[in-house]
């Protein structure tokens, strides 16, 4: 008898009918002889609705009260699912984050799980019950309710799988797996049979919404066998694992893209020892998240520094820079909005030189101008005009052979 953690996302539990459907999937697994821990999200868009209710009252709700509010969404689902299972004659118990022993650091709205006391769930499992746990929430040592950041139910599921030493963790969602890129934008996008933890982590951090980045981090650290699959269609999903089998060794395995990027250039700053650190600690102290950074030393005296931010932060960033102009000693600020970021990800880059060069050539052949670049061992990101984004993704998808992956496809 094995132990399986199954997570169902918001769409999969979006109506009473769907909750009954989830109950049936859980029962199939139980009938296979496995013990099951189920983690669920709030129904449909209910977390968004809770957020919008709060914004009808205040522009700046306290993080504590937001956590109190948002954690209710998952509580609705766990109880309804427990009822659906009980109705079919199965013993099931719903558990909130604290009842399940999920402890987090003392930080509201984006807490990390710090400790999981698995005995609370194991006890129910030993009694033959199906445990149904509210995703996305935990409790601090001071009994404050916290949430794990939007999309955080994935992280709950993987953390439980790690702590309970489960045989596997299945993330059931509204897509059939992890795709080479967003199939809503590129019709040729293909489902991957497998992808490595590191590749998935890059894609998740680059905004591929299919998995919460911290869930992938957890899975990697604890070597959790993780799959992403559809809750509606009976179809093999995508395995996320340490190493991906040789026959699928594509150099590039995925493409991510995002819009609303702004490039800011701080011009003619003195080229001294502490210039860079002053600039970026000032931005960080004002909660401005910087992505790509490029430094150009123009002569021995002066330097130009460019960085990218989310466009939403433009006005705030300009204010912070202006306020600190005399201390930072730059001459002028230039900026460019209406940009996007397009990235290619693949572990194969480590051993194949020339991938970045190939990417730049594909783009330049299309007359697409690259404004910024950043790389990691397994990723190349480029900043381009927003109007070039979709074209760039399409041509790169084709050029790196991602349209030709042979996996059994079901047209959704
Ligand atoms: N319900 C939360 C959200 O919508 C958490 C989750 O679904 O993973 O972000
Ligand atoms: Mg999600």
């Amino acid at each position: 008898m094995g132990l399986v953690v199954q997570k169902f996302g918001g769409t999969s539990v979006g109506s009473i009918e769907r909750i009954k459907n989830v109950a049936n999937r859980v029962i199939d697994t139980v009938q296979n002889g496995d013990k099951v821990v189920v983690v669920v999200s709030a129904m449909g868009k209910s977390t968004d609705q809770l957020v919008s209710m709060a914004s009808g009252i205040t522009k700046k709700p306290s993080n504590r009260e937001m956590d109190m509010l948002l954690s209710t969404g998952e509580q609705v689902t766990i109880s309804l699912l427990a009822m659906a299972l009980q109705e079919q004659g199965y013993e099931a118990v719903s558990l909130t984050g604290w009842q399940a022993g999920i402890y987090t650091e003392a930080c509201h709205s984006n807490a990390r799980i710090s400790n999981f006391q698995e005995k609370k769930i194991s006890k129910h499992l030993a009694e033959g019950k199906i445990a149904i746990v509210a995703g996305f929430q935990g409790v601090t040592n001071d009994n404050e309710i916290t949430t794990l950041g939007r999309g955080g139910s994935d992280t709950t599921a993987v953390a439980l799988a790690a702590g309970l030493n489960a045989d596997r963790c299945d993330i059931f969602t509204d897509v059939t797996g992890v795709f080479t890129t967003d199939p809503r934008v590129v019709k040729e996008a293909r489902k991957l049979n497998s992808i490595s933890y590191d590749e998935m982590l890059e894609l998740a951090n680059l905004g591929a919404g299919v998995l919460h980045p911290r869930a992938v981090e957890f899975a990697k650290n604890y070597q959790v066998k993780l799959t992403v699959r559809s809750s509606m269609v009976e179809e093999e999903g995508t395995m996320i694992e340490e190493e991906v089998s040789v026959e699928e060794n594509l150099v590039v395995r995925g493409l991510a893209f995002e819009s609303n990027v702004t490039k800011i250039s701080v011009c003619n700053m003195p080229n001294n020892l502490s210039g860079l650190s002053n600039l970026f600690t000032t931005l960080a102290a004002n909660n401005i998240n910087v992505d790509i950074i490029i430094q150009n030393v123009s002569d021995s005296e002066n330097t130009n520094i460019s960085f990218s931010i989310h466009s939403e932060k433009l006005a705030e960033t300009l204010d912070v820079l202006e306020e600190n102009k005399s201390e930072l000693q730059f001459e002028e600020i230039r900026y460019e909005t209406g940009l996007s970021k397009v990235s290619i990800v693949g572990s194969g880059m480590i051993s194949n030189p020339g991938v970045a060069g190939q990417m730049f050539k594909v783009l330049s052949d299309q007359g697409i101008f690259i404004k910024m670049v950043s790389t990691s061992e397994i990723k190349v990101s480029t900043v381009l005009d927003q109007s070039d984004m979709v074209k760039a993704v399409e041509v790169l998808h084709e050029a790196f052979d991602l349209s030709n992956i042979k996996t059994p496809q079901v047209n959704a």
Side-chain angles (χ1 to χ4, degrees), residues 58-105:
T58 167
K59 277 209 182 71
K60 282 198 164 173
S62 85
N63 286 336
R64 181 187 187 275
E65 299 312 328
M66 275 313 274
D67 278 358
M68 203 57 127
L69 179 67
L70 297 193
S71 63
T72 61
E74 274 66 16
Q75 201 169 330
V76 171
T77 323
I78 52 171
S79 47
L80 291 174
L81 180 57
M83 289 175 204
L85 286 162
Q86 289 162 2
E87 186 65 13
Q88 298 219 45
Y90 288 82
E91 277 205 80
V93 57
S94 63
L95 302 165
T96 62
W98 74 266
Q99 288 176 314
I102 300 166
Y103 288 85
T104 72
E105 58 182 17

Side-chain angles (χ1 to χ4, degrees), residues 252-269:
V252 169
R253 210 177 304 274
L255 270 158
F257 51 93
E258 65 185 87
S259 29
N260 294 318
V261 174
T262 290
K263 174 183 173 183
I264 300 205
S265 301
V266 179
C267 305
N268 284 331
M269 254 181 56

